[in-house]
Amino acid sequence: MRKKIMIYILMAVGTLFLLTGCKKNVGTPEDNPQVKEETDEEEQEKYTFGFSGITMENPYFITLESSIRETLEKDGHTLITEDPKQDPDVQVEQIEDMIDQGIDAIFLTPVDWEAITPALEELKEADVKIINVDTQVKEFDYVDAYIGSDNKNAGYLCGKDLVEKLPEGGKVLILECPTMNSINERIT
């Protein structure tokens, strides 16, 4: 009896092996999907990014740009960096140059949150994604993504800390910059 069961099992397995070899591609390609094998050699789409901070003499922007560059280049992307040196007109010109160089997206901290609007319009017209960093632009509808802090809360926390450290009061110096929204929100 055991021998008979073993023969049936072997015959069933043999039949399965024969049937698996008989499959033919018939019908449409949709009826016979081909599994594409992934290889390490396949090309990932490469992008070109722009970076325009307020000034590349500020350690914050140097560190930010370096971190972005390292991350992008690790994946084979390109980063074009321009230094407007705190001049809003230069920043707009440099962004126009980056558009001409074919950037796909830009990391942008405006020198002047209002004066940057013409560049935002040109970026949108060129279908360049805008990643606004740290200091918001005034015309926020142009922005695809924003990365920044809650500057009003940061100003509140700094004021609260100041009151705790100097409960008797003292003299306070506030540095203003009407063209930078982040500073204005901290003051508020």
Side-chain angles (χ1 to χ4, degrees):
M1 179 76 168
R2 269 182 113 158
K3 191 175 182 183
K4 215 176 195 181
I5 293 174
M6 186 59 91
I7 290 174
Y8 286 128
I9 291 173
L10 288 174
M11 286 176 46
V13 170
T15 304
L16 286 174
F17 279 117
L18 286 173
L19 291 176
T20 58
C22 293
K23 165 90 169 70
K24 291 184 179 178
N25 288 341
V26 293
T28 65
E30 291 81 21
D31 295 332
N32 300 287
Q34 300 292 317
V35 177
K36 185 178 177 184
E37 293 183 27
E38 292 185 27
T39 64
D40 292 336
E41 297 173 12
E42 286 188 43
E43 280 296 310
Q44 172 189 350
E45 193 168 355
K46 306 296 181 205
Y47 296 100
T48 301
F49 293 83
F51 181 90
S52 181
I54 294 171
T55 176
M56 291 307 292
E57 293 180 19
N58 182 319
Y60 171 78
F61 292 108
I62 293 168
T63 303
L64 181 63
E65 189 273 349
S66 175
S67 177
I68 291 170
R69 178 176 299 283
E70 181 181 326
T71 302
L72 292 175
E73 289 180 350
K74 180 174 52 174
D75 291 332
H77 305 294
T78 304
L79 181 65
I80 299 169
T81 300
E82 294 290 349
D83 182 3
K85 298 182 182 352
Q86 299 182 359
D87 185 326
D89 295 328
V90 169
Q91 188 172 41
V92 170
E93 290 173 19
Q94 290 174 342
I95 290 171
E96 291 169 348
D97 289 343
M98 286 190 270
I99 292 169
D100 291 342
Q101 293 177 58
I103 60 171
D104 299 295
I106 186 168
F107 295 93
L108 172 65
T109 303
V111 173
D112 181 317
W113 78 312
E114 289 180 293
I116 197 68
T117 302
L120 298 174
E121 292 168 350
E122 290 184 49
L123 287 162
K124 273 301 178 193
E125 187 175 308
D127 198 30
V128 174
K129 300 299 181 199
I130 302 168
I131 305 158
N132 185 196
V133 181
D134 187 50
T135 301
Q136 288 183 328
V137 299
K138 184 171 185 177
E139 300 298 328
F140 201 67
D141 289 342
Y142 288 104
V143 172
D144 294 290
Y146 174 71
I147 303 167
S149 56
D150 181 345
N151 289 301
K152 283 185 181 177
N153 191 44
Y156 171 79
L157 292 173
C158 288
K160 183 179 176 185
D161 184 60
L162 183 62
V163 169
E164 289 173 5
K165 288 182 177 172
L166 299 170
E168 302 300 319
K171 293 183 180 182
V172 176
L173 173 67
I174 297 178
L175 299 176
E176 295 184 82
C177 184
T179 62
M180 291 185 65
N181 191 43
S182 57
I183 292 174
N184 294 332
E185 286 184 350
R186 287 183 205 130
I187 292 170
T188 300

